[in-house]
Amino acid sequence: MTDEPPGERGETEDARLDEAFEATPRTAFLPESVRARWAEDRPLPLAAGMTNSQPSTVRDMLRLLGVRRGARVLDVGSGSGWTTALLAHLVGPDGEVIGVEIEPELVTFGRDRLDRMRRPWARIEAAAPGVLGRPELGPYDRILVSAMARRLPDALVEQLAAGGVLLAPVAGRMVRARRAPAGDVTLEQFGAYRFVPLR
């Protein structure tokens, strides 16, 4: 993974996000029944009571996560596959993104949509029962969690590489955890958010 700031290649973080969203249209990751509502800045329903998060929230999360080219990223609660595909664009072909989803119907849906994006360095896997993330494939430079936890999931923090960042909604607040090279973890809190519960 490269630790260079986005600006070193003449790009701002906002420009990188603009490019990712343009190359990864939300419409491609919505069921036919709600596709006409793609421009609404609100969550839209998916199968099994899950939702496709509102675009402004997804953008906020990606900005706070600070994804770099070449990073290894874990996407917990990949849902329709939209965030996995956005992350794949941000890391580029030298990186890797593993999406994990608990609902079998969404695993199938997300895989199909992700395949159409032709970003083979990203994939979506079914969550293992009783296991958060994919600890056997870690550590990860970045971990994105798109479901609300009651407390910061230690099992996911342990999957962070040195210098890694985890972003997760926790008890109504967005929490960013950073693992220092020495191993210490620092936490920051941001605005209020609502998500489906982490299971």
Side-chain angles (χ1 to χ4, degrees), residues 19-35:
E19 184 182 276
F21 276 83
E22 184 176 343
T24 315
R26 189 188 194 195
T27 50
F29 295 88
L30 292 173
E32 182 64 39
S33 59
V34 295
R35 198 165 296 157

Side-chain angles (χ1 to χ4, degrees), residues 62-85:
L62 293 177
R63 183 183 293 111
L64 290 169
L65 193 61
V67 181
R68 300 290 185 256
R69 293 181 186 84
R72 294 192 75 241
V73 183
L74 178 67
D75 185 20
V76 178
S78 57
S80 67
W82 190 36
T83 52
T84 306

